[in-house]
Amino acid sequence: MNALLTITAAAAGLAVAGTASAQLIAYEGYDVPPYGDDAGLNGQNPAASATSFGWDGAWSVGSANLQSDAGSLNNAATAYDDLTTGKGRYLASGFTAFRRGNRNIASYTASDTYYMSMFVNGGGSFNSDDRGYAVAGFTNFMTEGAFENTSADNGFGLFAGFRGEDAGADADQADLILRARGASGDLEDTVLLSNVDSNTYHVLYKLEVNVGGGSADQVTYWGNPSDLTDEASMSATAAATGSVSTFSMDTNSRIDRFTVISNEWNRSFFWDETRFGYDLDCVTGSPTPAAAGLLGRGGLLAARRRRA
């Protein structure tokens, strides 16, 4: 059986009165149906349900290789892995240029803390020398230049996924990574686990914005915790845990979509159970939508802030 790692990301924004909630902002379980089996994600827009809510419109995808697929990614350590019958998939091909898919999040009220969670699987062996990236995360609009650090475009938010190794003893392997904006303004990688190959992982992050009144954002991460009771229990039982300073947010309204990217990645990639919420309980328990007042359209209700 494949090993499973859990990444939960918590992104803390500026304080806004009355926003505390133990419920999810957005959740996607990729249930088949209403998602199609072996079907391109572009234009798919399942109606709000117990397994899909908090979204604003259909998937926008520039490649037929980003798809929905029957069969979920599972983790025996968590209580919610068998709720749905599908997953997201990048289908490997000989054409490995930058590919992106995203779905906008409906407007929500800003909070001091946000959590994210997802399952990811690196999908078999590399088929060529293209061993770049396959990641998914809650972000702003991510251009190719921002992702590759080749333009002045800024990429905000947090990714979880894989980076290939192409030299030395670890050639043909992949590392599980956190990818986020660093102090230089470029996206930077933090390796959570090395040489993970085709295993499935469920990863946890906690991102606190402007920690201690400064301009940096603190990310705490956990990988494959067997006890999700609380953060202390996760730290004690995780295969990977730690923290890193990032500049992944410039305002607490930057996260406005879920994004999947494949870039120079010549193997398959799978993701599932994507969750974005206000606290740990909502991303590890039964998915429950936030109150209707927190899910209105028309843009994120969030205060802006400036870098020091």
Side-chain angles (χ1 to χ4, degrees):
M1 177 182 294
N2 284 338
L4 185 68
L5 173 72
T6 308
I7 295 176
T8 305
L14 292 179
V16 177
T19 61
S21 174
Q23 296 169 316
L24 284 165
I25 296 167
Y27 166 61
E28 187 55 73
Y30 305 94
D31 216 9
V32 177
Y35 275 93
D37 183 18
D38 295 322
L41 278 173
N42 190 46
Q44 292 203 60
N45 187 20
S49 69
T51 60
S52 179
F53 55 79
W55 306 102
D56 184 8
W59 279 89
S60 176
V61 179
S63 169
N65 291 70
L66 289 168
Q67 304 176 345
S68 53
D69 180 43
S72 61
L73 299 180
N74 294 325
N75 178 10
T78 61
Y80 59 83
D81 57 342
D82 289 320
L83 286 178
T84 64
T85 59
K87 60 184 176 295
R89 174 178 69 179
Y90 167 69
L91 186 63
S93 74
F95 181 68
T96 59
F98 179 85
R99 299 178 181 188
R100 178 190 59 235
N102 54 254
R103 193 178 187 196
N104 290 344
I105 303 170
S107 62
Y108 58 91
T109 304
S111 174
D112 292 338
T113 304
Y114 303 112
Y115 284 78
M116 308 171 198
S117 176
M118 70 193 74
F119 296 171
V120 290
N121 183 298
S125 300
F126 288 108
N127 300 319
S128 75
D129 290 335
D130 294 325
R131 303 181 180 97
Y133 289 89
V135 295
F138 290 89
T139 70
N140 69 327
F141 181 73
M142 189 70 57
T143 67
E144 181 176 0
F147 189 81
E148 295 180 338
N149 298 323
T150 57
S151 76
D153 297 337
N154 287 316
F156 296 101
L158 297 171
F159 282 112
F162 303 94
R163 181 190 66 191
E165 298 285 354
D166 59 5
D170 294 333
D172 295 327
Q173 299 295 318
D175 298 330
L176 181 74
I177 62 165
L178 157 68
R179 188 163 173 83
R181 187 173 182 265
S184 69
D186 288 347
L187 295 189
E188 300 174 354
D189 301 333
T190 299
V191 176
L192 308 185
L193 290 173
S194 298
N195 297 344
V196 296
D197 203 23
S198 60
N199 294 327
T200 298
Y201 295 88
H202 184 190
V203 180
L204 297 151
Y205 302 142
K206 182 178 181 179
L207 167 64
E208 299 169 278
V209 178
N210 276 5
V211 174
S215 59
D217 310 319
Q218 186 79 7
V219 180
T220 304
Y221 60 84
W222 298 267
N224 263 13
S226 59
D227 187 343
L228 303 178
T229 302
D230 51 35
E231 293 181 14
S233 299
M234 291 191 299
S235 295
T237 61
T241 188
S243 62
V244 61
S245 180
T246 75
F247 287 78
S248 51
M249 304 277 274
D250 67 335
T251 76
N252 64 346
S253 62
R254 276 300 177 190
I255 293 174
D256 61 8
R257 68 197 66 211
F258 179 73
T259 302
V260 181
I261 287 176
S262 171
N263 191 39
E264 302 298 327
W265 182 260
N266 199 337
R267 58 197 268 187
S268 295
F269 170 57
F270 305 96
W271 68 95
D272 199 1
E273 285 295 322
T274 51
R275 299 183 178 211
F276 179 43
Y278 290 113
D279 59 21
L280 179 62
D281 289 344
C282 73
V283 297
T284 58
S286 297
T288 303
L294 300 180
L295 292 175
R297 297 173 186 264
L300 297 174
L301 305 178
R304 294 188 176 272
R305 62 181 175 82
R306 295 181 301 168
R307 289 285 175 204

